[in-house]
Amino acid sequence: MDREKLLEDLTKVLGEELVQKMKNTPQSPKWHPEGDVLEHTLLVMNQAKEDLNLYLAAMLHDIGKVDHTRVEGEKITAYGHEVGAVFWILTNGPNLRKLYPDCDVPLIGNICNDHMRAHLYKNYKMSNKHKRAAFENLIHFEKVMKFSKYDSLGKEV
């Protein structure tokens, strides 16, 4: 999908102001060599374009970075940014469903909420066997793991 179509879809959902804030939100070059939150989001959206719910999760998964990003010298963090995505979904879910009647808003929220835990799981940084088992038993486990793959591929320049 071309960049202009991705940007058009993102702006339709989030509005110009939030998209601009994403563009102005830096990310750690260690984890995101592609640059700002907007660039990463567009790359992930392109990876997820074949599945509506994953596509919408791609749009929303990092919007919390707009408010959670902290820059301290060369260190850039956005701890807890997934909470911002969940808040947006809880607040705007009905509007999202109007734009995309076939979307599964709770699933999108769950994917956004758990996408960082999926990275921990995938990279074996979730070492407690009980936490791993609980994560594996999530009803949306397969979807969040597929999304995690797209999120990782969205880091390639």
Side-chain angles (χ1 to χ4, degrees):
M1 191 178 291
D2 75 19
R3 180 182 172 82
E4 290 308 310
K5 172 66 172 140
L6 296 169
L7 194 53
E8 178 185 312
D9 286 352
L10 186 64
T11 303
K12 177 173 71 173
V13 171
L14 298 179
E16 185 63 43
E17 184 179 340
L18 187 50
V19 170
Q20 191 60 43
K21 286 180 180 179
M22 292 169 73
K23 183 176 183 176
N24 294 325
T25 302
Q27 297 187 109
S28 170
K30 176 181 179 181
W31 304 110
H32 291 283
E34 73 284 359
D36 58 51
V37 172
L38 176 61
E39 191 60 36
H40 171 68
T41 298
L42 294 172
L43 290 167
V44 179
M45 286 170 61
N46 193 51
Q47 292 292 325
K49 64 187 175 231
E50 302 300 324
D51 180 310
L52 176 63
N53 292 311
L54 295 180
Y55 183 71
L56 294 172
M59 284 184 192
L60 303 170
H61 78 288
D62 278 349
I63 60 172
K65 287 184 176 182
V66 167
D67 294 322
H68 285 81
T69 296
R70 302 291 175 258
V71 180
E72 297 171 5
E74 292 187 22
K75 185 177 181 181
I76 302 171
T77 60
Y79 299 122
H81 71 274
E82 58 277 10
V83 174
V86 172
F87 178 77
W88 189 95
I89 292 165
L90 288 171
T91 306
N92 297 285
N95 294 332
L96 188 61
R97 193 170 280 123
K98 284 179 188 173
L99 290 170
Y100 296 94
D102 294 332
C103 76
D104 183 340
V105 174
L107 174 62
I108 295 163
N110 285 330
I111 291 168
C112 290
N113 186 59
D114 291 325
H115 80 278
M116 293 306 295
R117 290 194 316 149
H119 291 302
L120 293 174
Y121 177 90
K122 182 172 62 176
N123 296 321
Y124 300 99
K125 292 183 179 176
M126 183 186 290
S127 57
N128 180 291
K129 68 179 181 178
H130 301 293
K131 286 183 180 181
R132 287 182 70 81
F135 190 71
E136 290 165 354
N137 284 309
L138 293 173
I139 195 164
H140 59 279
F141 176 75
E142 294 300 324
K143 286 282 189 181
V144 76
M145 293 309 294
K146 188 173 187 179
F147 180 81
S148 175
K149 177 182 172 187
Y150 294 154
D151 193 20
S152 294
L153 290 172
K155 296 174 185 174
E156 297 181 0
V157 184

